[in-house]
Amino acid sequence: MRLILFCFLLFPILPVWAQTQGSTQQPPTREALQQQQKQLQEEIDNLNATLNAIRKNKKQSLTEVAIIQRKLAIRERLIHKINQEIQRLNDDIYNKQLEINRLKRQLDTLKQNYAKSIVFAYKNRSSYEYLNFLFSASDFNDALKRMAFLRSYRQYREAEAQTILKTSELRQQAIVDMNNAKEQQTKVLETQSNQLKVLEQDKKEKDQIVNQLKNKEKDYLAQLRKTERQRQILNEAIKAAIRREIAEAERRERERLAKAKADAAKKPSATANNTPLPKNNNTSATNTPKASDEPITGVVSADRNETRTYSVFESTPEGREMSINFENNRGRLPWPVSGGAVVGQFGTNIVPGTKLKETNDGIFISTKIGAPVRCVADGEVISVMDLGDFQGVLVQHGKYFTVYNKLSDVSVNRGQQVKAGTLIGHAAADFDGEGKIEFRVMNGSNKFVNPEQWLKSR
């Protein structure tokens, strides 16, 4: 009876290895954070290369400040990603330590129970105890059940021994993983320390350049006024081209609607002349669906699952398809130039401590003088603009537009259908003697938006 009671006390204990298989989780991956850090570091490297190229030209420019300010912002984002990785490693180490402690407690419990089982089996090892347990059965079937029970008990003891080994292996692996996480944490902390030092150097460098700019602030203000005049000229040219396209699109839509109305009016009379009308048939012009006199705007169902706002540029299937394709590629559009770095951000950029302020309707990308500039999506060239010192190209993508400015020459013509990758022209030299282009994106409301949100990550 002692044997039976002891076995029933042991059997409810589930194998720990089976429990740990369901409860142990894989450590969270840091691949996404590391990939983001890599991209940010590559952008910083591109900015440093651009800055070094600019400094070879002894003519100082506002571009230096813009590059350093952008580099500071990117490095702060990089440090933030590193901090996130450190926090992830801290969580990994904490969770691994909890797992090691839990496995140790379970291993101690298993070893104690297994030791008791072995001692009990040793004390009752004689064949007399075994036979006594069998012969005390009430009948033959009861004896068979007792034999099966004893066989199961031996198998359970063997399983318990395997569970102890498995649990011990899991604990050792958890210790190895925790030590690896600590080593990685040490490396990441070192990287963080280095980046913080470089950040301080960048801040000092920016302050030094700003102090130098203050001595020539009047000259740079004159340069910014010239840049602002060019921006206004370009904006007026873009507005004029879009107004022209809107008027043309509305004219075509009016003609289409008038033709549809005329065709609808002819159908009842043709039916009356050629085919007898059945009785009680009230066919008349009032029963014929009429096309609307209004241009296509507002919410129109593109399919059963989607509604969207259409503009006059989407009154044709081709226009709608081009718009939708452009929208679907948000964040995945190719860059208009290969290589280079963003040296002028979208929006209003201010040089701290000075009166120098510049408003950008797009982004400025550094590149080599004469570098090819390519279209980012399928569309139609609706304007080639001569802006004096530079040339610009306006491309329509349904209700969206892209602008390619600061070109030395243009390789397309107005009305030409272009594809993503079509050569638009070549980059010109900017005021500071460096290659640079301006790229803009205009949404369906004819407002400029941040192009970096539409371009793919490099």
Side-chain angles (χ1 to χ4, degrees):
M1 292 301 293
R2 288 183 299 168
L3 179 61
I4 295 172
L5 290 173
F6 184 69
C7 292
F8 275 112
L9 287 173
L10 286 179
F11 269 117
I13 302 176
L14 295 174
V16 177
W17 179 77
Q19 294 178 1
T20 55
Q21 290 299 311
S23 62
T24 301
Q25 298 179 352
Q26 293 294 331
T29 178
R30 295 181 291 114
E31 291 180 358
L33 281 173
Q34 291 174 345
Q35 180 62 28
Q36 292 172 358
Q37 291 176 41
K38 181 181 177 183
Q39 292 175 353
L40 292 171
Q41 187 59 56
E42 288 176 354
E43 190 169 356
I44 290 174
D45 293 340
N46 288 334
L47 288 169
N48 284 330
T50 303
L51 193 60
N52 291 334
I54 289 175
R55 286 171 175 170
K56 290 179 181 178
N57 180 358
K58 295 182 179 180
K59 183 179 178 181
Q60 192 179 21
S61 68
L62 293 172
T63 307
E64 286 186 73
V65 181
I67 292 175
I68 293 176
Q69 284 182 311
R70 182 171 178 83
K71 190 167 64 167
L72 283 169
I74 295 173
R75 198 174 297 282
E76 287 174 350
R77 285 167 54 195
L78 176 59
I79 293 172
H80 177 67
K81 296 297 178 184
I82 294 173
N83 291 338
Q84 286 182 319
E85 186 178 1
I86 292 172
Q87 183 60 47
R88 186 72 61 87
L89 286 167
N90 288 336
D91 293 342
D92 286 351
I93 294 169
Y94 177 74
N95 291 331
K96 283 298 175 187
Q97 187 62 62
L98 291 179
E99 182 71 7
I100 291 168
N101 295 339
R102 185 181 67 83
L103 288 171
K104 184 179 184 302
R105 290 193 300 270
Q106 291 180 346
L107 192 59
D108 292 342
T109 302
L110 280 171
K111 286 180 178 179
Q112 290 173 6
N113 291 337
Y114 186 71
K116 292 177 181 178
S117 175
I118 293 298
V119 171
F120 186 86
Y122 177 78
K123 291 181 179 180
N124 298 276
R125 68 187 183 281
S126 67
S127 58
Y128 173 78
E129 292 284 346
Y130 177 78
L131 293 174
N132 186 41
F133 178 65
L134 290 179
F135 289 138
S136 62
S138 59
D139 53 29
F140 182 73
N141 288 334
D142 188 19
L144 290 177
K145 291 179 180 179
R146 294 189 178 205
M147 290 180 64
F149 176 77
L150 291 172
R151 189 182 304 112
S152 299
Y153 176 63
R154 286 196 299 269
Q155 293 175 352
Y156 173 74
R157 278 171 43 193
E158 294 174 358
E160 281 290 285
Q162 291 297 321
T163 301
I164 291 173
L165 292 176
K166 293 281 187 183
T167 305
S168 179
E169 291 175 0
L170 287 172
R171 182 171 177 272
Q172 290 300 322
Q173 184 59 49
I175 292 173
V176 170
D177 292 341
M178 185 181 70
N179 291 334
N180 289 337
K182 288 182 177 180
E183 291 178 3
Q184 292 173 353
Q185 183 189 47
T186 301
K187 293 179 181 179
V188 177
L189 286 170
E190 184 179 352
T191 302
Q192 179 198 48
S193 177
N194 293 334
Q195 290 293 340
L196 288 171
K197 291 178 182 177
V198 177
L199 179 65
E200 290 302 317
Q201 293 175 0
D202 289 343
K203 289 180 179 179
K204 291 178 181 178
E205 185 180 22
K206 186 200 74 172
D207 294 339
Q208 182 180 0
I209 293 176
V210 169
N211 290 331
Q212 294 174 358
L213 290 175
K214 287 180 180 179
N215 299 328
K216 299 181 179 179
E217 190 169 343
K218 292 183 179 179
D219 295 337
Y220 289 119
L221 283 172
Q223 179 180 324
L224 287 176
R225 282 193 290 269
K226 182 178 180 180
T227 302
E228 179 62 20
R229 284 196 299 271
Q230 285 192 334
R231 186 177 77 90
Q232 295 297 336
I233 292 171
L234 176 59
N235 287 345
E236 289 301 321
I238 292 171
K239 290 178 183 177
I242 292 177
R243 283 196 299 267
R244 183 181 64 241
E245 292 301 315
I246 290 175
E248 181 64 20
E250 290 177 343
R251 182 189 65 78
R252 289 195 300 265
E253 182 65 6
R254 285 194 297 270
E255 291 179 355
R256 185 188 70 80
L257 293 173
K259 185 177 182 301
K261 185 181 290 187
D263 292 343
K266 291 178 182 178
K267 287 181 180 179
S269 59
T271 302
N273 294 333
N274 299 326
T275 306
L277 293 175
K279 292 182 179 181
N280 299 326
N281 189 344
N282 295 325
T283 304
S284 64
T286 58
N287 294 52
T288 305
K290 294 193 293 183
S292 172
D293 294 331
E294 298 297 326
I296 295 181
T297 55
V299 177
V300 182
S301 177
D303 53 44
R304 289 181 295 179
N305 299 322
E306 178 189 4
T307 57
R308 66 192 299 275
T309 302
Y310 286 92
S311 75
V312 69
F313 294 120
E314 298 174 307
S315 58
T316 63
E318 295 80 9
R320 290 193 293 273
E321 181 180 2
M322 202 169 290
S323 290
I324 293 172
N325 288 340
F326 194 85
E327 290 171 359
N328 290 340
N329 282 300
R330 180 185 175 92
R332 296 195 298 268
L333 293 175
W335 286 66
V337 292
S338 59
V342 176
V343 295
Q345 291 180 274
F346 175 80
T348 301
N349 300 290
I350 301 173
V351 178
T354 69
K355 298 178 181 179
L356 303 176
K357 181 173 70 173
E358 184 178 26
T359 300
N360 296 331
D361 297 312
I363 57 174
F364 289 89
I365 308 172
S366 66
T367 187
K368 295 180 180 178
I369 298 174
V373 180
R374 302 187 183 278
C375 190
V376 300
D378 297 354
E380 179 184 351
V381 178
I382 63 170
S383 181
V384 176
M385 300 163 285
D386 187 355
L387 305 172
D389 296 326
F390 312 107
Q391 296 187 67
V393 174
L394 179 63
V395 179
Q396 181 181 0
H397 314 274
K399 67 177 181 179
Y400 295 93
F401 299 87
T402 54
V403 181
Y404 309 81
N405 186 29
K406 293 190 178 294
L407 305 176
S408 59
D409 60 80
V410 173
S411 304
V412 291
N413 300 308
R414 181 187 169 192
Q416 179 179 337
Q417 299 293 324
V418 292
K419 298 286 185 182
T422 299
L423 180 65
I424 296 292
H426 295 88
D430 202 5
F431 298 120
D432 54 11
E434 299 298 326
K436 187 189 302 180
I437 70 157
E438 181 185 13
F439 176 67
R440 301 185 183 184
V441 175
M442 184 178 285
N443 64 13
S445 302
N446 297 335
K447 293 182 180 179
F448 293 112
V449 294
N450 188 354
E452 289 190 79
Q453 297 175 354
W454 290 83
L455 298 173
K456 65 181 180 182
S457 299
R458 284 182 166 176

